[in-house]
Amino acid sequence: MPEGDTVLQAAKRLHSALADTVLTRSDLRVPRFATADLTGRTVLDVTPRGKHLLTRVEGGLTLHSHLRMDGSWRVYANGRRWDGGPTHQIRAILGNADRTAVGYRLPVLELLRTTDEDRVVGHLGPDLLGPDWDSALALANLLRDPARPLGEALLDQRNLAGIGNVYKSELCFLLGNTPWLPVGALPAERAAQLPGLARKLLEHNRDRPVRSTTGRRDQNLFVYGRATRPCLRCRTPVRRADQGDGSRERPTYWCPVCQQGPAPAPEPAPRTGM
């Protein structure tokens, strides 16, 4: 699942493959930009901003993409078979004399003036892995709406950029509070720890092929994806419920013993026939 760390890794791969080279192939497979042609232009850089990717090319243009849940960019040596999905899922192709970058299932793909980048990323809060990181501002943003559930506040990229559903659940576990606790009810010492802890997790994983929050070899995550399995700390079964982020419901995981605060009632056990 793409979050700030995986988007940074994607940006590094794209930058390594494309930066300072002239595009010999350009194919944007979205109706609005299907006739745009970037061939002959040099790629200047590929920069991550939270969960957004900004591919800048000469002539003052930026190709903006967002991976959301299922999107990905794959880089292939020319002549190698593309294996990122069926052809109809390809949304973008950028190639040079040596390598080709293919964007699969990209829900957001648009070409804009580089001077207009603020239109697509200007709303974002401090980037956990970016040069603009500001811990105090991130905390102030999170606490701006004290009644908002902690999990929702963490997913709101206007507060701080880079946290997705996995890190949301893992951060709440490490803080010892449920994702449904009003963010203003978070104990002061834990609130003060939150931005630094979030940055530490993403920094730890920025170059790792497999994301880990536990520091253990036998289990990478404390609660995410572990519904009904025993908590790594107290052995109580981990629970799962959906929680909104303002746009959609997302699966959320927590330990009912290790994490304090409100939580949905357990789902009833399925009825069995007599």
Side-chain angles (χ1 to χ4, degrees):
M1 181 178 299
E3 306 201 16
D5 52 349
T6 48
V7 172
L8 177 69
Q9 292 172 18
K12 287 182 176 180
R13 289 193 298 271
L14 290 171
H15 185 87
S16 177
L18 301 177
D20 300 320
T21 68
V22 176
L23 292 174
T24 58
R25 184 172 184 180
S26 166
D27 186 358
L28 305 183
R29 299 183 180 181
V30 293
R32 183 179 174 191
F33 301 105
T35 61
D37 186 3
L38 300 177
T39 57
R41 298 176 187 258
T42 298
V43 175
L44 304 178
D45 65 80
V46 182
T47 298
R49 182 72 173 86
K51 299 183 188 180
H52 300 251
L53 284 165
L54 303 171
T55 302
R56 300 178 179 123
V57 299
E58 70 172 336
L61 295 176
T62 295
L63 184 65
H64 166 235
S65 57
H66 194 297
L67 306 181
R68 290 192 180 162
M69 298 291 287
D70 301 314
S72 70
W73 279 97
R74 303 287 188 94
V75 175
Y76 302 96
N78 288 349
R80 180 185 158 193
R81 178 176 174 272
W82 300 351
D83 58 0
T87 301
H88 72 266
Q89 293 182 347
I90 295 174
R91 297 292 177 268
I93 302 171
L94 298 175
N96 56 34
D98 298 311
R99 286 180 280 187
T100 301
V102 184
Y104 288 91
R105 300 171 297 280
L106 300 175
V108 175
L109 185 71
E110 59 181 327
L111 191 64
L112 63 150
R113 293 286 177 187
T114 300
T115 52
D116 292 335
E117 285 180 359
D118 266 2
R119 179 172 62 80
V120 293
V121 296
H123 65 287
L124 298 176
D127 188 339
L128 283 153
L129 294 177
D132 69 319
W133 174 244
D134 185 328
S135 179
L137 177 58
L139 181 58
N141 290 344
L142 287 166
L143 296 177
R144 186 166 45 203
D145 183 357
R148 194 175 192 187
L150 175 60
E152 291 185 22
L154 288 171
L155 284 180
D156 191 334
Q157 303 300 295
R158 296 170 298 181
N159 292 333
L160 67 173
I163 291 178
N165 211 36
V166 177
Y167 282 122
K168 176 196 77 171
S169 293
E170 295 295 290
L171 274 167
C172 288
F173 177 83
L174 290 169
L175 289 168
N177 292 102
T178 69
W180 291 271
L181 181 79
V183 67
L186 193 66
E189 68 278 5
R190 294 181 188 174
Q193 294 171 358
L194 197 162
L197 180 58
R199 181 173 169 84
K200 181 179 179 180
L201 287 181
L202 269 72
E203 283 280 2
H204 177 71
N205 287 289
R206 63 183 297 158
D207 297 315
R208 296 175 63 94
V210 179
R211 183 181 292 136
S212 175
T213 61
T214 65
R216 296 172 50 158
R217 293 184 177 181
D218 61 329
Q219 181 62 49
N220 290 320
L221 302 174
F222 283 109
V223 291
Y224 188 86
R226 290 178 49 82
T228 74
R229 298 172 64 186
C231 171
L232 297 182
R233 287 183 177 171
C234 73
R235 311 306 293 174
T236 301
V238 171
R239 292 183 183 171
R240 177 197 180 281
D242 288 336
Q243 183 182 39
D245 68 345
S247 62
R248 60 189 292 182
E249 295 292 306
R250 297 177 182 269
T252 300
Y253 302 84
W254 79 103
C255 172
V257 172
C258 294
Q259 293 173 253
Q260 300 176 351
E267 295 181 0
R271 297 179 65 182
T272 57
M274 297 297 292

